[in-house]
Amino acid sequence: MLAIVVVLVVAVVVIIDQRLHARIVEQTVDELAREARFVAVQWQSRSSSDYLANAAGLALGHRVTLIDDQGVVLGDSEFEGDALKALENHNHRPEVVEARRSGTGSARRLSASAGDEELYVAVRAPLGVARVSVQTRVLEGVFDRARRDVLLAGVIALLLAALFSFRFSRAVSRPIVELRDVARSIAGGDIARRPALAAPGEVGDLATALHRLAEQLGARLTTLQADQALLSAVIQSLEEGVLAVSIGSQVVQINDSARNLLAIRAPVPFPVDLLPRSGELRDALSHALRDETSGTVELTLGDRTLSLTARPLAHGGAVLALLDLTSTRRLESVRRDFVANVSHELRTPLTVVAGFAETLSDANVPDEKRREFTEKILANTARMQRMVDDLLDLSRIESGGWVPDPEPVDVQTLAEEVAGALSDAASGNGTRITLAIASEAREMYADRTALRQVISNLVENAIRYTRDGEITISTMRADDAVVVAVTDTGAGIAPEHLPRIFERFYRADSGRARETGGTGLGLAIVKHLVERHGGRIEATSAPGRGTTIRAYFPVPAARSV
């Protein structure tokens, strides 16, 4: 509205300026014509022309010129004597020509005699032409004063219009601006913002409607956030990896399980190019993005085996579900290895027993051979019995059927008993057993029978691989645990075998173990017994320099103080 008022004021000023200029010129021409007629009436004698021109010019305040029918200037209020005679002939002046033709003529031009621009008005007289003129700067002065008055009035009108427009716009637009700001805040996510306006009419209705809209949006957003939080919590709690891909090939949702399985750390959204470069994964995703349902595929990423299912979404995009099959496949492999190892371990003694039993069925076998065969049958039967006993013990420990019964145990006494029981076997290999029991770790809290089996199994294992060396049973205190260690100076274990020595039936040197009667389950039993106590076991070895196996038994909090 203010802009319209400004345009109108400017237009009025321009129009008035133009009309005023034309009107002033028109009025001046009429006034000069009247003065020229008055002079023409007074001009009665050619001899008094110059006197009349001077007198009239003085009375009127304008330049008066009297010109005869031949164009000769007879009188001029601005020139006298020789200057008057020197004036050129005015017979061809436009205003003189027009006055002779129609009675009155006017012209505006630069005066050749006076040197200034003048407005000339001439009228026909009985003795010639009477002309009255005025300098145009006089007219411009009048016009400038009038223009200043018009401009001042326009500026005042404009200021009044601006003030009125400002007050009016503030009164009208303030509630609209407030509603606009509230709407922008709500659109920007500030649902708590409410219009504080209580106005009558349509603006008040709009404020009420906006208030209700904000309330409804707030309630719906709260519900949506709760649903989103619930859905996110459900997705994050899944053991399966779940990720959603938009139609623009951007991963827009991914749970922690999927991040761990795919080794992804980028924040969402991120392009699918950051996913592992697996052909099966990319093919399944491409089919799903093309709205094609594909079956479950199995893929391998690093050391993990995953089951992948890709499904298209109703409105474009896809969702991928990943299930970690690594443990299942590992258990299946362990089961197959276990069956194969048990079959392999039992086949040899069973073959020996069957062969010698078949030989003994022949009555012609000499007594010495019969006694030898019988001893071998008994030895292999005992080996199978030890294997079955170890398997039963291992199964009972793993299934939770055995629970340790901790009590204070004197490790020095227990180690001496184990060393005494196995001293003959060690001496047969030229090896001696020594003890290095630390005073601060002489007593520990553990199941006595289990601890005896742990030390016995470790020493027996060391005896099998040590020739003409030394085996040391030692203890030490490490933080909140008592460490029982068995160190030998035997052949040692190669680095590639060391991580697997606690697996069932795994042997770094299977030939030597079978020769010495080992079942391949001793270290596995040791590991499970220690872990059932809440401890851990570790091994260090160097080929040709020997092996050390340490079992960490935690000290109860009441005893660690």
Side-chain angles (χ1 to χ4, degrees), residues 500-522:
R500 301 189 60 187
I501 62 173
F502 295 104
E503 295 180 10
R504 287 171 291 188
F505 296 112
Y506 188 83
R507 296 186 178 92
D509 188 349
S510 58
R512 178 177 297 180
R514 289 192 181 93
E515 289 175 1
T516 56
T519 63
L521 298 172

Side-chain angles (χ1 to χ4, degrees), residues 479-545:
D479 295 331
D480 293 333
V482 173
V483 183
V484 177
V486 175
T487 303
D488 63 60
T489 58
I493 303 172
E496 63 270 18
H497 297 296
L498 196 60
R500 301 189 60 187
I501 62 173
F502 295 104
E503 295 180 10
R504 287 171 291 188
F505 296 112
Y506 188 83
R507 296 186 178 92
D509 188 349
S510 58
R512 178 177 297 180
R514 289 192 181 93
E515 289 175 1
T516 56
T519 63
L521 298 172
L523 292 181
I525 292 174
V526 168
K527 177 177 180 289
H528 284 81
L529 287 174
V530 174
E531 289 178 349
R532 291 293 289 175
H533 280 80
R536 60 186 176 86
I537 194 165
E538 64 179 25
T540 58
S541 182
R545 299 176 59 183

